[in-house]
Amino acid sequence: MDDRHGDQAQPHGAHGRPLTQTEKWAAFKRSPFFPALVLVFILAVAAGLFAGSYTYTMANPTPRHIPTAVVGPPDSPHGKAFAGGMEKALNASLQLHEYDTYAAAKEGVEEQEVFAILRVRDKGVELDVASAAGAQVAQVLEQAGPKVGQAVGVPVEVKDLKPLQEGDPRGLALFYISLAAVIIGFVGAIQLSVHARGLNPLERIAFTALYALLGAFAIAAVVDWLLGALHLPFVESWLILALTMFTSGMVFTMFNTLIGRWAMIPTWGLMVLLGNPSSGGAVSWPLLPSVLGHIGRWLPPGASVNAQHTAVYFGASQHAFPFLVLAGWALVSCAVFWVWRHRHPGGREVPPRGSGAHAAGA
């Protein structure tokens, strides 16, 4: 009897042999430890990239090309001396655009075609900056102008033609509210995928639009009505934030449709690692590395900042481009999600007509 029990305790057949390395690897890949380990490395890399991307663009912003209006005699010796001294001091080129009148130059500032006006007088120059067009650019010009004037012997008068609002002295509030809309946009889509997994495609789009409208209203109301940090053109700012939030949510939904549970990787890379530092919100585009400055305009965060910035400070000169960028990303994301909706890890089966209770009653 003991021998019989002893025989039963011994492993028999394939179940008793040691697992091969291939079988061990296959079992590990099926376990929860594999995705957890992958996430550990992804998060470590993401942390480094996050710090690196923001440090690269924001730690030491440097002017490269500053569009500047020039009013007055173009061949004026002291005007040329001052412009050359500014380029040397800034280690950057002033992209000089000649205007016939000061009023035309001011219109160029309103259209955000130029960031400053260099007005050449008989014995000196006036340098008009526009903090609302770019706070960092204006600060750089304000600091360099008097020093350059003293160095080249040209009297300089500096004034701020378009100052920032009192509640936003550094011009960062618009960046922060756009950043909030971007992040809450895709976080909301993630939460819908986790807690409302059974939503069908049209329902998912509808609820994304709903939380975008309500979330954007909350952002605008807190910043304007509660804190008084910004005086917003409320309806326009609200709808810009709502479109930003909806676009961000649908971008995640698109990637979730295409690659499933790893959708956060391209969403984070596109919207946070690349989109936010290049948006022009924290650092004006003339101070960004040139490639980022051009790319940022075509990404949702940059389009959101651009539209919001113009709405608040240059409302009479709003452009269609940032709205087209946001709408384009939203439409492409919705289209990809709709075409490949059968691949999205969610939804529920809709019972055919005649099934369920009615069928049972029949």
Side-chain angles (χ1 to χ4, degrees):
M1 185 173 180
D2 291 339
D3 291 341
R4 190 162 56 248
H5 286 297
D7 292 340
Q8 291 175 354
Q10 297 299 321
H12 293 281
H15 295 290
R17 65 176 173 79
L19 296 176
T20 64
Q21 292 298 322
T22 302
E23 290 170 335
K24 288 180 180 179
W25 174 245
F28 176 67
K29 288 180 67 176
R30 290 192 300 268
S31 73
F33 301 108
F34 177 70
L37 187 62
V38 171
L39 277 174
V40 167
F41 287 102
I42 289 175
L43 291 172
V45 172
L49 290 175
F50 181 77
S53 65
Y54 278 72
T55 302
Y56 175 62
T57 57
M58 299 181 187
N60 186 26
T62 303
R64 289 163 176 81
H65 304 285
I66 303 178
T68 305
V70 178
V71 181
D75 296 327
S76 167
H78 58 276
K80 284 186 174 182
F82 180 76
M86 286 292 288
E87 291 190 346
K88 185 176 180 181
L90 299 175
N91 194 24
S93 65
L94 299 180
Q95 293 181 340
L96 301 178
H97 302 266
E98 294 184 10
Y99 288 82
D100 294 332
T101 64
Y102 183 68
K106 288 178 67 175
E107 185 63 25
V109 173
E110 289 291 333
E111 292 291 336
Q112 300 181 74
E113 297 171 350
V114 293
F115 283 77
I117 300 174
L118 179 60
R119 197 175 186 184
V120 182
R121 296 294 198 178
D122 293 336
K123 296 182 180 181
V125 298
E126 291 179 5
L127 180 61
D128 294 349
V129 300
S131 295
Q136 295 82 11
V137 175
Q139 183 180 10
V140 167
L141 294 176
E142 284 178 332
Q143 292 174 348
K147 295 179 181 178
V148 170
Q150 186 176 7
V152 298
V154 176
V156 178
E157 180 184 349
V158 180
K159 65 179 179 179
D160 196 339
L161 187 65
K162 197 83 172 180
L164 293 162
Q165 293 186 15
E166 290 183 7
D168 184 28
R170 301 189 65 185
L172 294 175
L174 294 180
F175 172 67
Y176 292 145
I177 65 174
S178 299
L179 177 63
V182 167
I183 293 180
I184 298 300
F186 66 73
V187 168
I190 294 171
Q191 293 305 304
L192 284 182
S193 296
V194 173
H195 299 291
R197 190 179 182 87
L199 290 174
N200 283 329
L202 280 177
E203 297 167 343
R204 187 173 296 277
I205 293 174
F207 275 93
T208 302
L210 181 59
Y211 78 67
L213 283 168
L214 291 178
F217 183 87
I219 293 172
V222 167
V223 170
D224 190 342
W225 299 345
L226 183 61
L227 300 178
L230 286 171
H231 298 292
L232 302 173
F234 194 86
V235 174
E236 185 177 3
S237 290
W238 170 27
L239 294 180
I240 292 169
L241 291 169
L243 181 56
T244 302
M245 197 176 292
F246 176 77
T247 301
S248 183
M250 290 311 303
V251 165
F252 172 83
T253 304
M254 173 183 68
F255 286 129
N256 199 23
T257 302
L258 295 176
I259 61 176
R261 63 183 177 181
W262 302 111
M264 186 60 184
I265 298 173
T267 304
W268 183 263
L270 179 70
M271 306 297 281
V272 178
L273 293 184
L274 181 60
N276 282 323
S278 65
S279 68
V283 175
S284 302
W285 279 319
L287 305 185
L288 288 172
S290 58
V291 174
L292 286 180
H294 290 293
I295 291 176
R297 293 172 169 85
W298 293 90
L299 298 179
S304 179
V305 169
N306 190 356
Q308 196 71 253
H309 178 257
T310 304
V312 173
Y313 289 109
F314 304 93
S317 304
Q318 183 62 273
H319 303 290
F321 178 73
F323 294 95
L324 293 175
V325 171
L326 286 170
W329 278 96
L331 288 173
V332 168
S333 299
C334 288
V336 170
F337 169 52
W338 184 257
V339 171
W340 283 282
R341 59 189 181 277
H342 59 281
R343 296 182 53 181
H344 189 274
R348 64 186 185 280
E349 292 184 5
V350 178
R353 290 185 177 182
S355 64
H358 294 287

